[in-house]
């Protein structure tokens, strides 16, 4: 029953471990493609165009916005970030589930455009653990950590908009769980309209006894 | 995150293999309890009260209806059939996912009462295969098979009301798939309201820096 891929949005608190999770998921299973964002910010020394980001200038980015070439976009710190539609579409058509990591505003933009997108929210086992992880990096002041926790409070307000929450306690267990949830999502009726229409039509023919 | 169990409704075409599937699922995993129906029809020689059905007279059944003691019920061929609420509730409270096999009318009754119930619809790989299975029993006339196909046409109209469809092609694969879908369902936000409320409240306390 698996044909076209599903667009999968992964959000979650900063510090919940989304990046590691997604990398591991893509390594472990062939079913997925990680989306690559476009940005107008300059590449850092270790970054490569088409690997970390598609780098482009502001004019090119705004043209993409104007002609619907982005699945979602946002502006942070004077730079645009967005998801190019052509890459997403080509992967979905090839039957890959495309994973993209964005925040709630982008997630809700995507749901409008792709009603069958799957929205996942990654959470730590509890708030104390999130604080430990934020602190654990060891590079931040108390003020910065508190700022991040405040942001987490804001982010938490959107959890109910998501289809599933995934608790990132143990990495391997969490990757398994993500894979299970995505596999299950392929079985919803609204992601299988063609299959359902076909079986309905076939049943009607058989019930009429024309064969 | 798994606390209270989920009420799982399994429907599907007659001949799709629901009974076998559910028996296998319950054998294979400890997480599930099969619901036992109550009925006013007489027990057959090989049936035992409390195993195949809870057998009761019409008056006792109607009392149960009157005092809300049934999760759903229906009347077929002059006999009542229904799902006793006390058994369902005790299993859910014990953390078991309770599986019950009923048709769409009952499924929709349940959804009203248990908004977090999970509705699954079992389908054969295609309509021809359903016909083969109905014919394969070898005991039915063409007219009866046609009658069943007509009923399948009616049943198919409700597929979109279900949360997931499960294709029963290979039995073992299908049991795995069912288990995956049910496991995933435990991760929806509306089935984890308490967890979400707790983490939100904890985050607010931490962000205020009162610890």
């Amino acid at each position: 029953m698996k044909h076209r891929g599903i667009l999968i949005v992964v959000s979650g608190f900063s510090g919940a471990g989304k990046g590691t999770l997604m990398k591991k998921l893509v390594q472990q299973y062939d079913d997925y493609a990680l989306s690559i964002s476009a940005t107008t910010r300059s590449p850092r020394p270790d970054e490569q165009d088409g690997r970390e980001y598609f780098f482009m200038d502001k004019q090119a980015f705004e043209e993409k916005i104007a002609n619907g070439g982005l699945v979602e976009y946002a502006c942070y710190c004077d730079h645009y970030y967005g998801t190019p539609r052509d890459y997403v579409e080509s992967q979905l058509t090839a039957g890959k589930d495309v994973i993209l990591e964005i925040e709630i505003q982008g997630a809700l933009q995507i749901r409008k455009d792709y009603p069958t997108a799957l929205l996942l929210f990654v959470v730590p086992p509890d708030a104390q653990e999130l604080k430990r992880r934020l602190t654990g990096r060891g590079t931040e002041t108390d003020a910065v950590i508190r700022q991040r926790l405040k942001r987490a409070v804001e982010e938490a307000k959107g959890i109910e908009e998501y289809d599933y929450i995934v608790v990132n306690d143990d990495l391997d267990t969490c990757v398994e769980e993500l894979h299970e949830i995505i596999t299950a999502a392929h079985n919803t009726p609204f992601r299988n309209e063609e299959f359902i229409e076909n079986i309905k039509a076939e049943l009607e023919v058989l019930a009429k006894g024309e064969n």
Side-chain angles (χ1 to χ4, degrees), chain A:
Chain A
M1 241 177 13
K2 190 168 178 174
H3 351 259
R4 188 174 151 89
I6 299 179
L7 187 53
I8 299 158
V9 174
V10 179
S11 305
F13 305 125
S14 148
K18 298 183 292 289
T20 319
L21 262 180
M22 286 158 58
K23 228 176 274 168
K24 187 101 200 234
L25 184 70
V26 173
Q27 272 170 13
Q28 211 154 308
Y29 300 96
D30 269 350
D31 315 76
Y32 306 112
L34 268 186
S35 162
I36 301 164
S37 297
T39 183
T40 55
R41 79 154 168 76
S42 307
R44 294 180 189 137
D46 56 339
E47 289 178 339
Q48 199 177 298
D49 186 51
R51 194 180 62 188
E52 281 78 14
Y53 287 96
F54 295 113
F55 295 99
M56 54 179 71
D57 62 23
K58 204 178 159 194
Q59 194 191 339
F61 199 102
E62 289 178 342
E63 267 167 30
K64 271 205 179 296
I65 297 176
N67 63 29
L70 298 168
V71 165
E72 58 80 40
Y73 69 95
C75 199
Y76 296 112
C77 315
D78 283 337
H79 291 296
Y80 282 123
Y81 295 82
T83 305
R85 190 181 302 274
D86 46 6
Y87 179 77
V88 167
E89 280 295 331
S90 68
Q91 296 293 324
L92 291 178
T93 306
K96 294 264 184 186
D97 294 333
V98 180
I99 307 183
L100 69 127
E101 184 191 331
I102 45 170
E103 296 185 33
I104 184 156
Q105 290 77 8
L108 299 181
Q109 276 183 53
I110 282 182
R111 173 147 280 170
K112 269 190 215 155
D113 233 20
Y114 291 83
T116 64
L118 182 67
L119 272 50
L120 308 177
F121 196 94
V122 181
V123 294
D126 56 53
Q128 284 289 356
E129 175 60 24
L130 182 65
K131 194 184 171 191
R132 264 191 297 278
R133 289 184 199 174
L134 291 173
T135 315
R137 292 176 178 177
T139 51
E140 316 290 359
T141 62
D142 277 6
V144 168
I145 292 166
R146 186 132 318 139
Q147 205 45 50
R148 287 206 179 142
L149 285 167
K150 276 189 187 151
R151 197 171 141 202
V153 169
E154 287 307 306
E155 289 166 336
K157 288 181 184 158
I159 296 185
E160 280 91 349
E161 302 287 342
Y162 287 77
D163 297 310
Y164 294 95
I165 53 177
V166 192
V167 178
N168 187 9
D169 193 354
D170 170 67
L171 180 67
D172 288 325
T173 313
C174 189
V175 167
E176 282 287 310
E177 228 173 85
L178 271 175
H179 181 62
E180 256 184 17
I181 289 172
I182 299 167
T183 308
H186 278 276
N187 282 26
T188 53
F190 63 90
R191 293 193 184 93
N192 290 280
E193 286 175 351
E194 202 183 318
F195 173 82
I196 293 172
E197 285 318 307
N198 285 345
I199 206 165
K200 280 182 179 177
E202 281 168 30
L203 278 173
E204 284 196 27
V205 172
L206 290 176
K208 277 185 195 139
E210 281 159 15
N211 58 326

